[in-house]
Amino acid sequence: MAKVSWLTNIEEGFQRDMIEALKKLGHQAMLYAYKMGNRGEAFDENTPSGASTTMYKRRWKVKGKQRSQKTQAGRWQHRSYNLHDSFASAVYVNGKIASIEYLGSPRSNKHDKKTKKTGRQTVDDYLQSHRFGSTNNEIVLVVIAAMFYAGILENGGKSNMGPQDKFIVISPAKEYIESRYAIAIEPVLRKYGITQKPRTRVIEGER
């Protein structure tokens, strides 16, 4: 999960425009993370450099022998499409959801064996059950892949290819937000004549 916030002791028009700016930024960050992880490709020609060149070693056993091969960093593939459906970006204002963006329409109606929920149900339940920014009067942008195994894939969980496999899932969203945040909100600041450096926090962590 990647999160960025802004204090909300500001006028209504500024708040509305900031929500729209963060909504767009969140959607782009979500797309960037998804495409880096699922396809190993950049979102567009202006995405942060370096992410697509990371390499890792994939290991698996063939007829009892350990084999290894270098491949592009952490690309994962669809099985149930629940991970795809659990991607979302949301903007909260004082703990209440102002907008939610998804990758698209749900692609799966399969319930995960562990959670008994689809990917879309999982991310909706997670976002609805949290009140980001409610204690500090903030506007908060959250970008998340909500399936429980998203963090396992990122951190290198066990699989039939071995315990060292790591896959890119949602972590590129933080990189994207950090590199694009100032550009995304600059028109809003200029419109309202704000020159003070924004007080923001960009956080990455488990869901």
Side-chain angles (χ1 to χ4, degrees):
M1 178 178 71
K3 183 174 74 172
V4 62
S5 62
W6 182 291
L7 299 180
T8 60
N9 53 341
I10 46 181
E11 63 177 277
E12 183 179 350
F14 180 88
Q15 185 180 114
R16 180 183 62 250
D17 291 347
M18 184 60 69
I19 290 170
E20 286 301 312
L22 293 179
K23 176 181 175 181
K24 181 178 179 181
L25 176 65
H27 187 70
Q28 291 174 334
M30 174 178 60
L31 286 174
Y32 175 66
Y34 172 73
K35 289 193 173 185
M36 284 298 302
N38 180 241
R39 303 180 187 177
E41 65 184 35
F43 173 56
D44 61 29
E45 68 277 8
N46 297 314
T47 45
S49 61
S52 63
T53 62
T54 304
M55 303 292 287
Y56 81 114
K57 271 198 171 183
R58 167 180 280 181
R59 294 181 174 86
W60 71 98
K61 288 186 177 180
V62 180
K63 295 182 180 180
K65 295 182 179 180
Q66 191 77 14
R67 305 296 179 97
S68 66
Q69 175 184 341
K70 281 191 175 182
T71 185
Q72 194 166 16
R75 289 193 291 178
W76 50 271
Q77 296 180 345
H78 294 295
R79 292 185 179 179
S80 67
Y81 279 91
N82 275 328
L83 184 56
H84 167 278
D85 292 348
S86 77
F87 275 75
S89 64
V91 179
Y92 291 75
V93 179
N94 296 330
K96 297 181 180 180
I97 296 175
S99 72
I100 300 179
E101 297 283 313
Y102 306 103
L103 284 174
S105 300
R107 295 190 180 184
S108 175
N109 59 6
K110 297 179 181 179
H111 289 72
D112 181 79
K113 292 180 180 180
K114 180 176 180 178
T115 64
K116 311 301 181 184
K117 298 177 182 179
T118 65
R120 183 58 54 85
Q121 289 171 338
T122 300
V123 71
D124 281 344
D125 287 352
Y126 179 85
L127 294 174
Q128 295 291 344
S129 65
H130 286 73
R131 293 172 54 97
F132 292 108
S134 60
T135 57
N136 297 317
N137 295 321
E138 294 176 320
I139 300 176
V140 178
L141 168 64
V142 174
V143 183
I144 188 172
M147 291 304 294
F148 72 92
Y149 49 79
I152 297 174
L153 291 173
E154 288 268 12
N155 295 322
K158 294 182 179 180
S159 74
N160 59 358
M161 293 183 293
Q164 297 182 359
D165 301 321
K166 293 185 179 182
F167 297 86
I168 297 170
V169 182
I170 196 64
S171 55
K174 178 176 182 287
E175 173 190 344
Y176 189 95
I177 291 171
E178 288 177 330
S179 67
R180 299 297 184 87
Y181 178 73
I183 297 173
I185 67 170
E186 194 276 333
V188 181
L189 301 182
R190 186 173 64 249
K191 178 180 178 180
Y192 291 90
I194 297 176
T195 57
Q196 183 179 2
K197 186 177 181 179
R199 294 176 58 191
T200 62
R201 295 178 295 129
V202 181
I203 302 171
E204 179 183 13
E206 299 297 326
R207 58 171 283 266

